[in-house]
Amino acid sequence: MGRVRIKDKNKIPEIIKHAEELNNKQILVGIFGESAQSGHGDSDITMGEIAAIQEYGTRIQVTDKMRGYLASQGLPLKKSTTHITIPERSYIRAGWDEHEKGILDKAVNLLVDAIIEGKPSTNDALDAIGLEAEGKLQEFARNLNDPSNHPFTVDQKGSSNPLVDTGRLIGAITHEVL
Protein backbone atom coordinates (compact mmCIF):
# COMPACT_ATOMS: atom_id res chain seq x y z
CA MET A 1 0.00 0.00 0.00
CA GLY A 2 1.32 3.44 -0.96
CA ARG A 3 1.97 6.28 1.43
CA VAL A 4 -0.33 9.24 1.46
CA ARG A 5 1.30 12.50 2.28
CA ILE A 6 -0.85 15.46 3.22
CA LYS A 7 0.60 18.90 2.95
CA ASP A 8 -1.09 21.62 4.93
CA LYS A 9 -0.02 25.15 5.58
CA ASN A 10 -0.39 26.13 9.22
CA LYS A 11 -2.38 29.38 9.07
CA ILE A 12 -2.75 29.72 12.84
CA PRO A 13 0.15 32.21 13.28
CA GLU A 14 -1.23 34.35 10.44
CA ILE A 15 -4.76 34.25 11.89
CA ILE A 16 -3.44 35.25 15.32
CA LYS A 17 -1.50 38.14 13.76
CA HIS A 18 -4.62 39.43 11.96
CA ALA A 19 -6.74 39.09 15.10
CA GLU A 20 -4.13 40.96 17.17
CA GLU A 21 -4.31 43.84 14.69
CA LEU A 22 -7.81 44.47 16.05
CA ASN A 23 -6.59 44.92 19.64
CA ASN A 24 -7.68 48.28 21.05
CA LYS A 25 -9.20 49.37 17.73
CA GLN A 26 -12.36 51.45 17.81
CA ILE A 27 -14.77 52.80 15.24
CA LEU A 28 -16.30 56.17 16.08
CA VAL A 29 -19.43 57.22 14.22
CA GLY A 30 -21.16 60.55 14.72
CA ILE A 31 -20.38 64.25 14.60
CA PHE A 32 -16.98 65.03 16.11
CA GLY A 33 -13.66 66.71 15.43
CA GLU A 34 -13.53 69.63 13.02
CA SER A 35 -17.10 69.01 11.85
CA ALA A 36 -18.41 69.43 15.38
CA GLN A 37 -16.41 72.62 15.91
CA SER A 38 -17.52 74.29 12.69
CA GLY A 39 -19.99 77.12 12.89
CA HIS A 40 -23.64 76.88 11.94
CA GLY A 41 -24.71 79.69 9.66
CA ASP A 42 -24.47 83.20 11.06
CA SER A 43 -24.91 82.12 14.68
CA ASP A 44 -22.34 81.45 17.38
CA ILE A 45 -23.59 77.89 17.79
CA THR A 46 -21.43 75.02 16.51
CA MET A 47 -22.49 72.03 14.46
CA GLY A 48 -21.74 69.84 17.50
CA GLU A 49 -24.16 71.88 19.59
CA ILE A 50 -26.85 71.64 16.89
CA ALA A 51 -26.22 67.88 16.76
CA ALA A 52 -26.65 67.54 20.53
CA ILE A 53 -29.78 69.73 20.57
CA GLN A 54 -31.40 67.58 17.89
CA GLU A 55 -30.28 64.28 19.44
CA TYR A 56 -31.42 65.06 22.99
CA GLY A 57 -33.79 68.04 22.67
CA THR A 58 -33.60 71.16 24.80
CA ARG A 59 -35.59 73.90 26.47
CA ILE A 60 -34.64 77.47 25.66
CA GLN A 61 -35.61 80.28 27.98
CA VAL A 62 -37.42 83.05 26.13
CA THR A 63 -35.67 86.42 26.42
CA ASP A 64 -37.14 89.80 25.56
CA LYS A 65 -34.84 89.94 22.53
CA MET A 66 -36.05 86.52 21.35
CA ARG A 67 -39.67 87.49 21.95
CA GLY A 68 -39.20 90.63 19.85
CA TYR A 69 -37.41 88.78 17.06
CA LEU A 70 -40.04 86.04 16.81
CA ALA A 71 -42.83 88.65 16.80
CA SER A 72 -41.06 90.51 13.97
CA GLN A 73 -40.95 87.22 12.01
CA GLY A 74 -44.68 86.58 12.46
CA LEU A 75 -44.66 84.39 15.56
CA PRO A 76 -45.83 86.48 18.52
CA LEU A 77 -45.49 84.55 21.78
CA LYS A 78 -48.01 84.63 24.59
CA LYS A 79 -46.87 86.52 27.69
CA SER A 80 -47.13 83.24 29.58
CA THR A 81 -44.59 81.53 27.25
CA THR A 82 -41.33 81.33 29.19
CA HIS A 83 -39.59 78.52 27.28
CA ILE A 84 -39.42 77.12 23.78
CA THR A 85 -38.95 73.37 23.58
CA ILE A 86 -37.01 71.70 20.81
CA PRO A 87 -38.04 68.05 21.06
CA GLU A 88 -35.62 65.14 21.01
CA ARG A 89 -35.06 63.88 17.48
CA SER A 90 -32.58 61.10 18.11
CA TYR A 91 -30.87 60.15 14.88
CA ILE A 92 -27.62 58.72 16.26
CA ARG A 93 -29.00 56.48 19.01
CA ALA A 94 -32.28 55.61 17.27
CA GLY A 95 -30.50 55.19 13.93
CA TRP A 96 -28.06 52.75 15.52
CA ASP A 97 -30.92 50.85 17.19
CA GLU A 98 -32.72 50.55 13.85
CA HIS A 99 -29.67 49.40 11.86
CA GLU A 100 -27.54 47.66 14.50
CA LYS A 101 -28.22 44.09 13.35
CA GLY A 102 -27.40 44.80 9.70
CA ILE A 103 -24.24 46.73 10.60
CA LEU A 104 -23.06 44.01 12.98
CA ASP A 105 -23.83 41.24 10.46
CA LYS A 106 -21.68 43.05 7.90
CA ALA A 107 -18.99 43.58 10.57
CA VAL A 108 -18.85 39.88 11.37
CA ASN A 109 -18.53 38.91 7.71
CA LEU A 110 -15.83 41.48 7.00
CA LEU A 111 -13.84 40.71 10.14
CA VAL A 112 -13.98 36.95 9.67
CA ASP A 113 -12.59 37.41 6.14
CA ALA A 114 -9.98 39.87 7.41
CA ILE A 115 -8.82 37.56 10.20
CA ILE A 116 -8.95 34.22 8.35
CA GLU A 117 -8.01 35.28 4.81
CA GLY A 118 -6.27 38.58 5.43
CA LYS A 119 -8.49 40.18 2.77
CA PRO A 120 -9.63 42.83 3.25
CA SER A 121 -6.99 44.05 5.68
CA THR A 122 -8.26 44.53 9.22
CA ASN A 123 -7.97 48.32 8.82
CA ASP A 124 -9.91 48.23 5.55
CA ALA A 125 -12.56 46.04 7.17
CA LEU A 126 -12.93 48.44 10.11
CA ASP A 127 -13.14 51.39 7.71
CA ALA A 128 -15.86 49.61 5.68
CA ILE A 129 -17.83 48.92 8.87
CA GLY A 130 -17.55 52.58 9.87
CA LEU A 131 -18.63 53.69 6.41
CA GLU A 132 -21.65 51.37 6.58
CA ALA A 133 -22.69 52.74 9.98
CA GLU A 134 -22.13 56.32 8.81
CA GLY A 135 -24.35 55.78 5.77
CA LYS A 136 -27.10 54.10 7.78
CA LEU A 137 -27.17 56.95 10.34
CA GLN A 138 -27.27 59.54 7.55
CA GLU A 139 -30.13 57.67 5.88
CA PHE A 140 -32.03 57.44 9.17
CA ALA A 141 -31.60 61.18 9.80
CA ARG A 142 -32.79 62.05 6.28
CA ASN A 143 -35.91 59.92 6.73
CA LEU A 144 -36.74 61.01 10.28
CA ASN A 145 -40.05 62.88 10.34
CA ASP A 146 -41.26 62.64 13.90
CA PRO A 147 -41.61 64.78 15.87
CA SER A 148 -42.42 67.16 13.07
CA ASN A 149 -41.30 70.77 12.86
CA HIS A 150 -43.50 73.55 14.17
CA PRO A 151 -45.47 75.14 11.28
CA PHE A 152 -43.47 78.36 11.80
CA THR A 153 -40.23 76.43 11.27
CA VAL A 154 -41.61 74.77 8.15
CA ASP A 155 -42.50 78.22 6.76
CA GLN A 156 -39.05 79.61 7.62
CA LYS A 157 -36.99 76.83 6.07
CA GLY A 158 -39.41 75.70 3.37
CA SER A 159 -39.25 72.02 4.37
CA SER A 160 -41.08 69.79 6.80
CA ASN A 161 -38.13 67.41 7.32
CA PRO A 162 -36.98 68.12 10.91
CA LEU A 163 -33.27 67.33 10.41
CA VAL A 164 -32.80 68.61 6.87
CA ASP A 165 -32.27 72.28 6.16
CA THR A 166 -28.92 72.98 4.52
CA GLY A 167 -27.74 69.34 4.65
CA ARG A 168 -24.73 70.24 6.80
CA LEU A 169 -25.89 68.29 9.87
CA ILE A 170 -26.34 65.04 7.98
CA GLY A 171 -23.17 65.67 5.98
CA ALA A 172 -21.27 66.11 9.24
CA ILE A 173 -22.02 62.51 10.31
CA THR A 174 -18.77 60.66 9.69
CA HIS A 175 -16.63 57.85 11.05
CA GLU A 176 -13.07 57.35 12.19
CA VAL A 177 -11.07 54.22 12.98
CA LEU A 178 -8.82 54.64 16.01
Side-chain angles (χ1 to χ4, degrees):
M1 183 167 319
R3 277 176 68 180
V4 175
R5 187 171 258 186
I6 298 174
K7 288 188 175 187
D8 187 21
K9 181 180 177 196
N10 180 1
K11 292 183 79 176
I12 302 275
E14 192 176 325
I15 291 170
I16 290 170
K17 176 184 165 255
H18 292 221
E20 286 175 345
E21 290 172 358
L22 295 172
N23 280 345
N24 302 314
K25 292 284 188 170
Q26 297 179 41
I27 304 170
L28 301 179
V29 182
I31 298 174
F32 48 86
E34 288 183 29
S35 293
Q37 299 305 316
S38 66
H40 181 265
D42 296 336
S43 72
D44 293 336
I45 196 164
T46 67
M47 190 58 65
E49 291 166 329
I50 292 289
I53 288 168
Q54 293 296 347
E55 180 72 18
Y56 298 104
T58 193
R59 282 183 50 157
I60 303 169
Q61 186 169 355
V62 174
T63 64
D64 289 339
K65 182 178 178 181
M66 182 188 300
R67 190 177 298 280
Y69 172 77
L70 290 173
S72 77
Q73 298 300 305
L75 185 66
L77 300 178
K78 297 176 186 172
K79 291 277 187 201
S80 61
T81 301
T82 60
H83 290 84
I84 293 174
T85 300
I86 298 175
E88 174 182 312
R89 294 184 175 102
S90 175
Y91 57 99
I92 300 288
R93 294 170 295 146
W96 175 260
D97 290 347
E98 172 119 345
H99 294 288
E100 178 180 19
K101 182 179 179 340
I103 294 167
L104 293 180
D105 286 348
K106 183 170 187 161
V108 167
N109 291 333
L110 284 168
L111 291 173
V112 165
D113 287 347
I115 291 169
I116 303 295
E117 301 298 328
K119 294 180 183 175
S121 71
T122 52
N123 282 336
D124 287 349
L126 292 171
D127 191 52
I129 295 162
L131 193 58
E132 176 77 7
E134 173 185 320
K136 292 300 184 184
L137 295 184
Q138 289 173 340
E139 174 188 330
F140 186 88
R142 268 191 301 279
N143 295 332
L144 186 74
N145 60 14
D146 187 44
S148 61
N149 280 327
H150 186 279
F152 176 78
T153 305
V154 173
D155 288 344
Q156 292 294 305
K157 74 179 199 177
S159 167
S160 62
N161 190 316
L163 295 179
V164 177
D165 187 7
T166 65
R168 288 189 62 219
L169 177 67
I170 292 171
I173 298 171
T174 189
H175 77 281
E176 184 176 346
V177 177
L178 302 175

